[in-house]
Amino acid sequence: MYVVKRLFTMLVTLWVIVTLTFLIMHLIPGDPFATDSKAIPEAVLENMRARYNLDKPLSTQYVLYLKNLLTFDLGPSIQSKTTDVNTLIARGFVPSALLGIQSMLLALFAGIMLGTIAALHHNRALDFISMFIAMLGISIPSFILAPLLIKYMAVQWGLLPVAAWGTWKHTLLPTFALAVTPIAIIARFVRTSMLEVLHQEYIHTAEAKGLPTWKIVLKHGLRNSLIPVLSFIGPLFASVVTGTFVVEKIFAIPGIGKYFVDSIFNRDYPVIMGTTIFYSVVLVVTLFLIDLSYRFIDPRIKLSSKGA
Amino acid sequence: MNVTSTKLDQPLDHLFHPVDRSQLADQTLAYTSVPMWKDKIRKLVRNKLAVIGLALLLLIMLLAAIGPSLLPHSPSAQSLTQTNLPPSAEHWFGTDDLGRDVWARTWAGARISLLIGFAAAAIDLIIGIIVGGISGYMAGRSRFGDRIDSILMRIVEILYSIPYLLVIILLLVVMKPGILTMIVALSITGWVGMARVVRGQMLLLKQQEYVLAASKLGTSHAKIIFKHLLPNAAGIIIVNLTFTIPAAIFSESFLSFLGLGVQAPIASWGTMANDSLGVILSGQWWRLFFPGFMISLTMFAFNAFGDGLQDVLDPRSHQ
């Protein structure tokens, strides 16, 4: 029941996002043809506006857009005359998703490891080393790290290839650049919350009945300390998505992030809306899954007044 | 024994001695209570990393205030005869391709970053605690409570889902582009993370026995929230705040790096880093190094200080 309700509100959320994005887009003064309007005769311009429905009243444009959206048609791109938004997203999806998922997984794995190690060796050398690494990771933004990685790892020392997008090796440097900050943030969250959990009674009980350390850490420690971490996965995901904007720009990766940034400067309405809606769907679904997972990790958290 | 054998009618005066006054004074001194804030400051000072962080922050702020006036160069003054010079006695951080002094531009950028960071984080904190607190506390309390929680969380979700670049572009159109726009734009979406963290904590904490006890004893909702729930969530809130300020600073540089932030000729660490992209491979390392180093140093300082603050302020953090 709860799941059905949440699914319904998810759709409402998406509708609100589509509407807001649509309104915001059309509040921006200037239209896509504003720059070369002098070179093109008025009649041609009219035709071009008509082609993209820009001559119709805003309400009609909105209805048309919603109708197309229901058939998963995100419309044509204005800038590149031959391809539509669906094609653009499909084209950019593979590099972006690969980059995003790889760095999320790397961040979760390395972050939880680093945080747990630090908490288990509280105030000892390993704790300080882990937290120093985390501190560096938080302090150095990806758009500073990425050019340095290119200069040293790729150009100076020639360890890994860049400036092309072909083999898996090409994904390593961008993935690392994207994951560094999330690793550090997750490590700190896990450490803080793990330290708290390790002082709980049930941990002492587990120790007292002679459970091996790894079992205490995995079954009792990690599971209980992941709640603050969970509420961070949403923003983490959003930051990885926005991170792909700069990382794709610096590494010249043909992903959705690149199309999105380009479309903003070009006032390419359909592409802006299409990519925004695409990101929104992925994000909203992710948040939904996170909300559900709270319950699996800690049954004490009630999802609604009727449940449990 | 001496005492037991003494007859009761005999005076016991020899068993008593006048108290040594100086000793008494010693005892009172040993039990002088230390005010809580003094104790906290003492603990904070003992934390080396926090002290280093605070010192760095003060240094960065000081240099942001007086840095540009230490050299006779204006951050926006161009000199086409002195382009792309490496660091020297004349130009401590070198010059860029328009002959502008990188030292002056770095500290002018520091002012913008710090201002935007502090202002946006303050707004985030206030809105985040109010929304997250209400939402988490009301959830599961009643039908009405659930509805409020649901409405607030839908707003949060929507704000999450719109990439914040869009919000900023909209504001740049509606408002004059500049620092104020940047602060508003960052806090319009920035409070969402704080609200979610506070809500998550509320959901967990309000199931605890002491909250049940307090509410059964007739404690008001406001008192439960401010005296029981928020102090216990303070640790996580502060950890989150130590991310919020540098995160705002980061966002400013990030947007400026993409060309969406503060506009030329105003210097910003992000725009300086972006300008240096083309020349980093040709060896003009100072163009990327100084603004990049300052961003990293500022974030390091905030995080180090925040960590120390957390160890002191969080009643459950075990040193």
Side-chain angles (χ1 to χ4, degrees), chain B residues 18-35:
Chain B
V19 172
D20 185 354
R21 285 277 158 199
S22 62
Q23 235 176 356
L24 195 71
D26 265 6
Q27 278 180 343
T28 34
L29 200 72
Y31 285 95
T32 304
S33 74
V34 182

Side-chain angles (χ1 to χ4, degrees), chain A residues 29 122 138-139 188 235 264 305, chain B residues 146 160 169 173 296 303 307 318:
Chain A
H122 190 211
I138 288 179
S139 306
R188 288 168 49 114
I264 288 168
S305 53
Chain B
D146 272 344
Y160 246 165
I169 292 161
V173 173
S296 305
N303 285 311
D307 273 1
H318 305 272

Side-chain angles (χ1 to χ4, degrees), chain A residues 6 9 13 16-17 20-21 24-25 27-29 122-123 135 138-144 147-148 151 155 185 188-189 192 196 199 227-228 231 234-235 242-243 245-246 249-250 260-261 264-265 272 276 279-280 283-284 287 290-291 298 300-302 304-306, chain B residues 49 140 142-143 146 150 154 157-158 160-166 169-170 173 193 196-197 199-201 203-204 207-208 236 239-240 242-243 250 253-254 257-260 270 273-274 277 280-281 283 288 291-292 295-296 299-300 303-304 307 310 314 316 318-319:
Chain A
R6 280 289 274 114
T9 50
T13 308
V16 174
I17 291 168
L20 278 181
T21 315
I24 290 171
M25 276 306 80
L27 274 177
I28 299 177
H122 190 211
N123 279 350
M135 202 65 114
I138 288 179
S139 306
I140 304 173
S142 57
F143 59 86
I144 300 294
L148 292 177
K151 183 170 164 62
V155 177
I185 294 176
R188 288 168 49 114
F189 261 92
T192 308
E196 223 154 79
H199 286 272
I227 292 165
S231 60
T242 47
F245 299 168
V246 277
K249 173 180 165 170
I250 296 171
F260 179 64
V261 175
I264 288 168
F265 288 105
I272 301 177
T276 304
Y279 282 137
S280 304
L283 254 175
V284 168
L287 290 177
I290 290 170
D291 257 16
D298 190 348
R300 282 175 300 174
I301 293 179
K302 288 182 186 148
S304 70
S305 53
K306 276 169 237 146
Chain B
L49 202 60
S142 60
R143 266 194 109 84
D146 272 344
S150 165
R154 283 309 83 70
E157 219 163 83
I158 292 166
Y160 246 165
S161 317
I162 302 177
Y164 65 106
L165 287 174
L166 280 181
I169 292 161
L170 172 72
V173 173
R196 279 185 75 90
V197 168
R199 176 174 179 268
Q201 281 293 299
L203 283 180
L204 188 67
Q207 311 267 334
Q208 307 283 322
I236 301 285
V239 180
N240 203 41
T242 61
F243 296 133
F250 169 82
S253 342
F254 176 88
F257 180 85
L258 276 182
L260 297 168
N274 188 25
L277 272 191
I280 173 92
L281 290 183
L288 176 70
I295 298 172
S296 305
M299 303 229 264
F300 172 80
N303 285 311
D307 273 1
Q310 187 215 352
D314 187 345
R316 295 155 308 164
H318 305 272
Q319 260 296 49

Side-chain angles (χ1 to χ4, degrees), chain A residues 83-147:
Chain A
T83 45
D84 56 14
V85 184
N86 289 47
T87 321
L88 275 186
I89 290 181
R91 205 185 286 160
F93 181 76
V94 174
S96 287
L98 184 68
L99 201 59
I101 291 170
Q102 252 181 210
S103 50
M104 284 278 282
L105 288 180
L106 177 63
L108 280 173
F109 182 73
I112 291 177
M113 279 256 288
L114 210 59
T116 309
I117 290 174
L120 290 179
H121 297 83
H122 190 211
N123 279 350
R124 276 177 282 162
L126 269 179
D127 183 17
F128 292 123
I129 294 169
S130 309
M131 283 305 105
F132 185 72
I133 295 172
M135 202 65 114
L136 282 185
I138 288 179
S139 306
I140 304 173
S142 57
F143 59 86
I144 300 294
L145 184 66

